[in-house]
Amino acid sequence: MQKDRFDRILSFLLGASWAIVFFGALILFKSFLPLGLGLAIVVTIFFIFLGLFLILGLDAFAVNRQKLLEAKKQTKLLEKIYAKHTSSL
């Protein structure tokens, strides 16, 4: 199945977001480690939580896009059924 431009951009953004969360957490942890292990862990967990929340938002865009495309298909089918039904009366 061929993806349209929106799906390709969304897939790229999701992949980039995962990479940013992973490497960002690693860099953030190493940056805050000299200030204390506890602080480094708390800041890293907060960063991961925010990153995963943003990834969840991008995934919600993808799901809503699929729902929209399905609704369009169903609308076309219902219009065909309606046209067939009204022409036979």
Side-chain angles (χ1 to χ4, degrees):
M1 189 166 86
Q2 186 178 3
K3 291 184 175 183
D4 63 350
R5 187 178 301 167
F6 180 81
D7 290 332
R8 280 188 251 152
I9 291 171
L10 197 57
S11 294
F12 173 76
L13 288 175
L14 278 170
S17 298
W18 277 109
I20 289 171
V21 167
F22 180 74
F23 290 114
L26 182 66
I27 291 169
L28 198 65
F29 180 77
K30 287 187 175 191
S31 297
F32 276 86
L33 194 56
L35 299 175
L37 182 63
L39 180 65
I41 290 173
V42 168
V43 170
T44 304
I45 289 173
F46 183 71
F47 176 79
I48 290 171
F49 179 74
L50 278 176
L52 291 178
F53 185 71
L54 294 175
I55 289 172
L56 183 64
L58 284 173
D59 198 36
F61 280 126
V63 169
N64 284 331
R65 170 80 172 177
Q66 290 173 352
K67 286 168 83 175
L68 176 66
L69 294 175
E70 268 311 303
K72 284 182 180 181
K73 287 179 189 176
Q74 291 175 3
T75 302
K76 284 183 182 180
L77 286 173
L78 287 173
E79 286 173 351
K80 285 181 185 178
I81 291 171
Y82 179 74
K84 190 175 185 179
H85 180 68
T86 55
S87 66
S88 64
L89 292 179

